[in-house]
Amino acid sequence: MKPVDRHLADILTTVQPLPPLEVDLERALGAVLAEDVSSPVALPPFDNSAMDGYAVRAEDVAGAPVSLPVIEDIAAGDAELRAVGPGLVTRIMTGAPMPGGADAVVPVEWTDGGTTRVTIHKAAPYGHAVRRAGEDVQAGDVVLSAGTRIGAAQLGILAGVGRRRVVVRPRPRVVVLSTGAELAEPGKPLAHGQIWESNSFMLAAAVREAGGEGFRAGAVTDDPQVFLERLDAQLVRADAVITSGGVSMGAYEPVKEALGPLGTVRFEKVAMQPGMPQGFGVVGPDKVPIFALPGNPVSSFVSFVLFVKPALRRMQGLPASLPETVRAVTTSPLRSPEGRRSYLRGVLTGETVAPVSGQGSHQLAALASADALIVVPEDVTELPAGSEVEVIAL
């Protein structure tokens, strides 16, 4: 059987980063920057007030309480050049530019709130409540580096440095297609021998969690020709395709029967449990990567974590490898078949991990209760409780 590491290495050799493109800021959320972004100006670009209050000379209020005349108001956005002379104050609003001569702001709470003359009850030291020009960013500073995933805060600084458009590697568009004559759409009544289709919902959501755009293409029957027609119709909107089911050794395996003769998709046994049958390759004139995952839901999910998620990172121009692990102590004995790397579902609590009760590859409820995968190496068949293990936190 093919080692897990080698199967991922072959995938990452095939998958390439998506070409960068320039998008409007509203479409950049979730994408990965493909350029360094620097600020053309200092931020803030001018000294301004951090509070509503009074712009003063600190030396004039050092002997507070004092009563001083208010010469004018300055609102946020005021474009006029203003100044404060000795013994005078200006009422100022949050974000308004500091007038020349003023070197501190007295919060309105420290005063009687006067509009023509104000009594200041507490002295404000030099620089109090003043935002200095450039204290956040200097002109020319790189505020975001290439390879940064754009979230809400990153969108904020992009807009804050005046960018309307930005060059990114887009979120990969991934079509998810399930196979099986036994599958029924959730919400519909089950006929005898049917189950509700869950894998496409799970995998499309996993794609979105990994930074891609997941699209369900529904389920198809066990007819290879119908599968090929559905796949061909979806390739126009896909940067990658995930299928689930139809890759095992038995009869009625439509994915294997349809894609095997193309010669561009390989079906192999990977030394892992769950998820031994795996298929990967490219399809269509644009050589779209396709991940043919097993149909059992736990096998499909574990395969996504190990193989698809790193590939999506590569497509976004990010470092890609097997998931990082942490060390933990297992609370129960563990068993694993010889020659396969097991990924047992567990609950990670601090420095301990407890295997969940259901470890079958069909037991979706047990998977839903887990937040970690316990890794048991290929050369280990048993581990007693209290053993230290590698754990992938989900």
Side-chain angles (χ1 to χ4, degrees):
M1 288 186 288
K2 187 178 183 181
V4 171
D5 304 73
R6 196 169 83 213
H7 188 61
L8 177 60
D10 289 346
I11 290 172
L12 295 181
T13 299
T14 302
V15 173
Q16 298 299 317
L18 296 175
L21 70 157
E22 190 177 53
V23 298
D24 197 77
L25 216 52
E26 278 90 350
R27 295 185 55 213
L29 182 66
V32 175
L33 268 177
E35 61 170 333
D36 290 343
V37 175
S38 57
S39 178
V41 298
L43 295 180
F46 51 86
D47 291 354
N48 67 88
S49 177
M51 307 181 76
D52 291 339
Y54 298 85
V56 302
R57 294 171 181 256
E59 62 185 59
D60 290 340
V61 298
V66 295
S67 179
L68 299 172
V70 180
I71 59 171
E72 58 189 351
D73 288 357
I74 307 178
D78 192 301
E80 292 190 32
L81 295 176
R82 302 180 185 275
V84 171
L88 303 174
V89 303
T90 294
R91 199 159 66 134
I92 195 168
M93 309 307 156
T94 303
M98 290 291 291
D103 53 28
V105 172
V106 177
V108 68
E109 294 84 358
W110 296 1
T111 75
D112 66 356
T115 56
T116 58
R117 190 170 190 89
V118 62
T119 298
I120 296 171
H121 304 296
K122 182 178 177 181
Y126 177 85
H128 183 75
V130 177
R131 301 167 177 159
R132 296 297 182 190
E135 71 177 24
D136 186 15
V137 174
Q138 293 290 326
D141 282 355
V142 174
V143 294
L144 292 175
S145 300
T148 300
R149 189 182 297 282
I150 301 174
Q154 290 72 36
L155 275 174
I157 189 60
L158 288 169
V161 299
R163 294 295 293 266
R164 183 64 201 182
R165 298 177 65 81
V166 66
V167 179
V168 301
R169 295 195 188 276
R171 300 172 64 190
R173 300 166 300 167
V174 183
V175 170
V176 180
L177 185 61
S178 295
T179 64
E182 77 280 14
L183 301 178
E185 188 75 7
K188 294 184 177 180
L190 291 178
H192 180 68
Q194 285 190 317
I195 60 172
W196 283 302
E197 196 278 308
S198 60
N199 282 4
S200 68
F201 289 90
M202 176 180 67
L203 292 170
V207 167
R208 296 182 195 112
E209 288 182 342
E213 296 184 23
F215 303 100
R216 291 183 60 247
V220 298
T221 65
D222 291 330
D223 186 329
Q225 186 59 41
V226 173
F227 167 78
L228 276 178
E229 291 172 359
R230 181 74 63 84
L231 175 63
D232 186 62
Q234 295 297 324
L235 289 180
V236 67
R237 66 167 176 169
D239 297 310
V241 174
I242 302 172
T243 67
S244 68
V247 297
S248 296
M249 301 300 294
Y252 308 108
E253 303 293 348
V255 176
K256 200 170 185 179
E257 292 177 34
L259 300 181
L262 299 181
T264 59
V265 181
R266 294 182 62 181
F267 294 88
E268 302 172 285
K269 293 182 179 180
V270 177
M272 59 185 285
Q273 180 172 302
M276 181 181 68
Q278 296 285 332
F280 175 74
V282 295
V283 290
D286 294 329
K287 297 183 177 180
V288 175
I290 185 167
F291 300 85
L293 308 184
N296 279 322
V298 179
S299 303
S300 197
F301 179 80
V302 171
S303 300
F304 180 93
V305 171
L306 298 180
F307 305 129
V308 184
K309 189 173 181 179
L312 294 180
R313 288 183 59 83
R314 171 63 59 83
M315 295 174 79
Q316 295 170 89
L318 298 171
S321 63
L322 284 172
E324 293 184 358
T325 61
V326 297
R327 303 288 291 180
V329 174
T330 177
T331 61
S332 303
L334 304 176
R335 291 178 177 270
S336 176
E338 184 177 1
R340 294 198 215 174
R341 188 180 302 177
S342 284
Y343 295 91
L344 306 175
R345 280 67 69 202
V347 176
L348 183 63
T349 306
E351 297 181 354
T352 64
V353 63
V356 299
S357 58
Q359 292 292 334
S361 60
H362 62 292
Q363 292 179 293
L364 189 54
L367 174 65
S369 69
D371 63 7
L373 298 177
I374 306 167
V375 185
V376 182
E378 293 87 339
D379 58 351
V380 176
T381 57
E382 293 187 35
L383 286 172
S387 299
E388 192 174 57
V389 291
E390 298 286 342
V391 177
I392 299 170
L394 299 175

